[in-house]
Amino acid sequence: MDLLAYIPSPSSGVIYLGPVPLRGYAFCIIIGVFVAVWLGGRRWVARGGRVGTVADIAVWAVPFGLVGGRLYHVITDYELYFTDGRDWVDAFKIWQGGLGIWGAIALGALGAWIGCRRRGIPLPAYADAIAPGIAFAQAIGRWGNWFNQELYGKETTLPWALKIDGDADAGRVAGTYHPTFLYESLWCIGVALLVIWADRRFKLGHGRAFALYVASYTVGRFWIEYLRVDDAHHVLGLRLNNWTSVVVFLAAVAYLVISAKKSPGREEVVEPAAVEDGADVSAGPAPATATEASDGAPAGSGGADETGGAAETGGAAETGGAAEAGAVAAEAEPSKKP
């Protein structure tokens, strides 16, 4: 039996659940957002934040990001919507594809800043928590391009070539092409894993995990952009997105270097409200017998006071949150750094 020498494309980008159309592009975006919020939430709690904070701020960041991504696409490819023979209403049909990651990150960061400011949270710490999740979201979202048969690369006969159906209205010529959606998806997974590893190894803080994600992503995007054959604006022989990748890469590396010098280490407190919760739980006096057992000193002695102070400050740093801080206070044992 002959094996396929290419990756087939879906015959349609829409799946119908009864009368309800489920568009593959939108479905990939939604799943990507869910993964980003889920993973970001776990990382945020591990840093000492509250459960639900990442999702609450995502309520601001996600809509801003979608608007920013669409604006970047429409502005940089305006001829698809505002030239003769085109319908400007199509600019609002986001389900047909067309989200620019640069605009999505830029405006999404603005939305996240608003959400963080409302909760008294430092944006760099939040960005570090969600950075790998964003990379995973991009990896999933790129499969939306597969459903829409768009943004593929140059023609190729490689075994993993992508088969594209001809469509004169969409400007597609039948053939087999480089599956740039797959290349970028795999690259984004690698970026996410890199950020997770580096964050654990070097205790990245103050926005440096996010900067590493940005710098790593732009390296792969530069190469993948070079393979694409869809229409794009060129500057000095390079596609606009190539230049954007270069500029953003340099900015991210500069931030990494400057931030490491100005603010070494990692934030001790990422969410003040979580610290207050921990202090409230651990505020009650510990039983005298437990204190004596832990210090070898009477409850009213200076040793007991020092132990109680360690328990209270530990509540802010422990990733277990308020419940663990309360347990530490009840046992009156010295806290341990995470």
Side-chain angles (χ1 to χ4, degrees):
M1 182 175 63
D2 294 335
L3 296 176
L4 287 177
Y6 56 81
I7 300 173
S9 291
S11 58
S12 174
V14 184
I15 300 173
Y16 286 91
L17 300 178
V20 180
L22 179 62
R23 300 185 180 276
Y25 187 87
F27 182 71
C28 291
I29 297 297
I30 292 170
I31 295 298
V33 169
F34 174 81
V35 169
V37 172
W38 171 78
L39 180 58
R42 288 177 60 89
R43 287 171 53 81
W44 183 253
V45 171
R47 292 281 300 275
R50 278 176 165 177
V51 174
T53 294
V54 167
D56 291 343
I57 296 176
V59 171
W60 288 91
V62 172
F64 272 72
L66 290 174
V67 171
R70 189 60 176 178
L71 280 175
Y72 182 89
H73 167 72
V74 171
I75 291 172
T76 56
D77 291 304
Y78 63 88
E79 66 278 357
L80 299 177
Y81 309 101
F82 303 108
T83 54
D84 293 340
R86 301 287 186 171
D87 187 355
W88 63 271
V89 176
D90 290 342
F92 297 95
K93 297 178 179 179
I94 192 172
W95 57 86
Q96 293 182 351
L99 287 175
I101 185 60
W102 316 114
I105 294 296
L107 222 55
L110 175 60
W113 176 80
I114 294 173
C116 287
R117 186 175 178 83
R118 289 167 60 90
R119 299 181 70 104
I121 292 171
L123 177 61
Y126 180 82
D128 284 341
I130 64 172
I134 294 177
F136 279 127
Q138 288 178 253
I140 297 170
R142 273 304 175 195
W143 285 83
N145 301 135
W146 177 63
F147 279 101
N148 285 355
Q149 296 195 42
E150 61 183 357
L151 306 186
Y152 43 85
K154 301 174 182 178
E155 285 191 275
T156 182
T157 57
L158 290 170
W160 56 84
L162 176 67
K163 185 178 184 297
I164 294 296
D165 300 324
D167 187 334
D169 294 335
R172 297 198 306 255
V173 178
T176 54
Y177 301 84
H178 277 286
T180 51
F181 84 91
L182 179 60
Y183 297 162
E184 186 164 341
S185 180
L186 294 174
W187 182 266
C188 287
I189 291 174
V191 169
L193 296 177
L194 171 65
V195 173
I196 291 173
W197 170 82
D199 194 26
R200 291 177 177 174
R201 174 67 176 80
F202 302 106
K203 303 296 182 184
L204 301 177
H206 302 282
R208 289 189 287 277
F210 185 82
L212 176 61
Y213 144 70
V214 172
S216 303
Y217 170 73
T218 55
V219 171
R221 180 60 184 266
F222 184 92
W223 166 67
I224 293 167
E225 193 72 24
Y226 181 77
L227 290 176
R228 282 169 47 172
V229 295
D230 53 297
D231 293 334
H233 296 285
H234 287 71
V235 178
L236 299 178
L238 288 177
R239 292 165 66 96
L240 176 60
N241 281 330
N242 282 120
W243 286 110
T244 305
S245 296
V246 171
V247 172
V248 174
F249 171 81
L250 293 175
V253 171
Y255 182 90
L256 277 168
V257 174
I258 296 172
S259 175
K261 291 182 177 180
K262 293 183 63 176
S263 304
R266 177 184 281 180
E267 300 92 337
E268 294 184 1
V269 176
V270 297
E271 189 166 4
V275 177
E276 294 171 4
D277 289 347
D280 290 342
V281 174
S282 61
T289 54
T291 305
E292 292 169 0
S294 63
D295 298 338
S301 68
D305 291 341
E306 292 171 0
T307 304
E312 184 173 353
T313 55
E318 287 287 351
T319 59
E324 186 170 351
V328 171
E331 296 172 3
E333 294 182 353
S335 301
K336 296 181 180 178
K337 291 291 183 178

